[in-house]
Amino acid sequence: MSENTNKKGLSKLFVWSHATSVNGGAMAIAATIASYFSLYAQEQIGITAAQLSVILFICTLWDAINDPMMGVICDTCNPRWGRYRTWFLFPPVLLLIDMFLMFSNPAFIQGNQMAKCIYVCIVYMCYGMIVTAYTMPQMAILPAMTLDDGERNSVISIGAGCCALMFTIASTFNSQLVELFGGTGEGQHGYRNLMCTYAVLAIVSFWLLYKSSEERYVAPKSAEDGGLKQLKYVFRHKEIWPVMVAWCLAAVSYGFMFTSSVYYAQYILANGRIDWASVATMTEEASGAYIGGMIGGTISTYMGFISIGALISMMVLMPIFLKVFKTGYKALIVSQILTIICYVILFFTGRLNFMYCCILSFVATAVGSMVNALVNVLVNDTIDFIMLKEGKQLNGIISSVKGFAQKCGNTITNSGMLAVLAVAGFDAQAGPFGQVPSAITATNICRFLIPAIVSGIILLIMIFYPLKKYFPEIAEMKAKMAAANKAE
């Protein structure tokens, strides 16, 4: 380990740049893509739900596979700028380039459905690889900076708050921001300009993270332990497998929460808010403006409740949960119980009243969305566990395993939801009020029933959390590491 010691603490610049790197401009991009890209690709580029389902399955599956590769690179390579810090310099620039391409609709793919599919597949796959290139090192740098669980949890909590804030902005005000940055439709590039702006913000945050980070607790590399064989130190412990499932399902829970919300608002809630009797008396132009306004208002209002719920979850409730319950797995148990209750009620009663649905969805999001951040505490638990059992520091590998599990969850979310809708007869070209009843039912299932089932499985894993019995040994190990570091 280096000569630096944990008593130096974490600088404010590191804390805030760590929080606003993955969870700042990059998170605004992730939020927009998660909530709106599938509709953008269908409505603006002209890809069908079935085609997009296949594309997202291919891309997110590859994205999951390349995560362990990135972890191996992080833990085995030794670039001049740092084992983990190097990756804060170049990938964010590539993100800017890819956002320009992803939200363009170039002339050479017009009129050719296969060309459209190939183009979207390439730019989406590149996006996933770029995210992997900066996310794995960002997770790995925190335990390399401090051994103190309190400091780690504090940084994670601040990052979670930034995540929720950017998700709130990007999800709730997407329509207004797109219009502000140039609008939509032929010849208008609001989406592209907005996403490139988010990417520039991400570049600034990652470069500040590079400047403020150090690799204080990085063990020397072992020549015989290079490459993918390092994965054996993780996978041969049966205690890790349930944790991986929890990482995967947390991504499914969080992903369905936001991705399905836009569909639910547009294809279920908006229909119940329109006065169809009045529409029948309007001119075609007036009725179109009225219906369009009601759909846009419904989406903005509902996503506002969801996003603000996530903001409160991350910035207010999650720190309280961690303070009261001390550990991530206990906080997860309580949050998942409350989430299941809310989702089951909403599945059966959500369509009865718009404002009732918004308020209860807000509560469900407030107690449920912290799952995506709380599982990051489990990453630190796993890093410490492997250090205890193997005597090896595999921050990058374990972060990549978590990333692999999360991307598997993203695959289930992205392609799975679209596949369910496609099988149920969903057709984006039919509009909000032209969907068959089975598509409406499937939308309700995706919004509430599937996340409730997923939360139930996470709850069971946390009740029997396999790493908790090692906490006393881990605490003793870290005390010895800190003492040895001070003595150097």
Side-chain angles (χ1 to χ4, degrees), residues 63-65 67-68 136 235 240-252 398-412:
D63 196 17
I65 293 171
D67 271 34
M136 299 303 103
F235 291 124
I240 302 301
W241 291 93
V243 180
M244 286 184 60
V245 174
W247 288 333
C248 174
L249 294 182
V252 174
I398 293 167
S399 295
S400 72
V401 170
K402 189 265 183 180
F404 169 80
Q406 180 179 353
K407 301 297 176 55
C408 288
N410 292 341
T411 302
I412 295 171

Side-chain angles (χ1 to χ4, degrees), residues 6 80 106 123 185 211 226 278 346 379 398 406 452:
N6 199 45
R80 58 177 296 186
V123 295
K211 177 179 176 60
S278 297
L346 280 164
V379 175
I398 293 167
Q406 180 179 353

Side-chain angles (χ1 to χ4, degrees), residues 5-18:
T5 67
N6 199 45
K7 65 182 180 181
K8 185 177 178 180
L10 302 176
S11 70
K12 290 183 179 180
L13 181 59
F14 171 79
V15 171
W16 288 103
S17 59
H18 189 279

Side-chain angles (χ1 to χ4, degrees), residues 247-454:
W247 288 333
C248 174
L249 294 182
V252 174
S253 176
Y254 195 75
F256 265 84
M257 181 185 303
F258 283 95
T259 304
S260 63
S261 291
V262 176
Y263 286 82
Y264 186 79
Q266 181 164 331
Y267 295 98
I268 292 181
L269 294 180
N271 192 28
R273 300 186 69 204
I274 293 176
D275 185 352
W276 291 105
S278 297
V279 170
T281 64
M282 299 178 183
T283 64
E284 182 176 349
E285 182 178 353
S287 64
Y290 167 73
I291 292 174
M294 289 299 294
I295 293 173
T298 299
I299 294 174
S300 295
T301 302
Y302 188 68
M303 292 304 295
F305 275 91
I306 298 298
S307 300
I308 293 173
L311 183 65
I312 291 176
S313 178
M314 301 293 194
M315 299 188 72
V316 179
L317 292 183
M318 179 179 158
I320 293 174
F321 273 48
L322 283 173
K323 184 175 182 179
V324 171
F325 301 109
K326 307 299 182 185
T327 59
Y329 83 92
K330 289 182 180 178
L332 274 168
I333 288 174
V334 178
S335 70
Q336 294 309 287
I337 291 174
L338 297 174
T339 302
I340 293 168
I341 294 172
C342 291
Y343 278 156
V344 171
I345 294 173
L346 280 164
F347 176 73
F348 292 104
T349 65
R351 288 180 282 182
L352 297 179
N353 179 273
F354 176 66
M355 192 52 60
Y356 158 81
C357 182
C358 287
I359 293 173
L360 192 53
S361 294
F362 163 82
V363 175
T365 308
V367 296
S369 61
M370 70 178 78
V371 65
N372 204 44
L374 284 174
V375 292
N376 289 331
V377 177
L378 308 186
V379 175
N380 294 323
D381 290 347
T382 306
I383 289 172
D384 293 337
F385 170 77
I386 294 299
M387 188 68 183
L388 174 69
K389 290 297 183 180
E390 300 287 350
K392 299 181 182 295
Q393 188 175 43
L394 300 176
N395 299 26
I397 291 291
I398 293 167
S399 295
S400 72
V401 170
K402 189 265 183 180
F404 169 80
Q406 180 179 353
K407 301 297 176 55
C408 288
N410 292 341
T411 302
I412 295 171
T413 299
N414 295 333
S415 61
M417 192 187 80
L418 288 170
V420 169
L421 293 177
V423 169
F426 174 82
D427 181 7
Q429 301 302 317
F433 313 116
Q435 303 301 324
V436 296
S438 58
I440 299 301
T441 300
T443 302
N444 192 37
I445 290 173
C446 288
R447 178 64 189 96
F448 297 121
L449 185 58
I450 291 177
I453 294 172
V454 169

Side-chain angles (χ1 to χ4, degrees), residues 102-214:
M102 181 178 286
F103 287 89
S104 296
N105 193 6
F108 66 84
I109 67 172
Q110 302 306 312
N112 188 327
Q113 202 67 16
M114 181 58 70
K116 292 179 180 180
C117 291
I118 293 173
Y119 182 83
V120 171
C121 186
I122 291 173
V123 295
Y124 197 95
M125 185 174 291
C126 288
Y127 169 68
M129 294 174 69
I130 293 166
V131 171
T132 297
Y134 60 65
T135 301
M136 299 303 103
Q138 192 260 7
M139 285 192 289
I141 196 68
L142 180 57
M145 285 285 290
T146 177
L147 297 173
D148 185 84
D149 287 334
E151 284 190 313
R152 292 177 179 179
N153 290 347
S154 177
V155 173
I156 291 173
S157 295
I158 294 172
C162 291
C163 171
L165 178 61
M166 296 310 294
F167 232 108
T168 299
I169 294 171
S171 298
T172 305
F173 305 108
N174 179 74
S175 299
Q176 294 86 343
L177 288 170
V178 169
E179 189 65 29
L180 178 65
F181 278 80
T184 59
E186 187 175 353
Q188 296 181 302
H189 304 294
Y191 262 108
R192 188 176 70 189
N193 297 338
L194 176 62
M195 299 299 273
C196 288
T197 301
Y198 288 151
V200 170
L201 294 176
I203 290 173
V204 173
S205 293
F206 273 106
W207 285 0
L208 288 175
L209 180 59
Y210 169 82
K211 177 179 176 60
S212 61
S213 60
E214 303 173 49

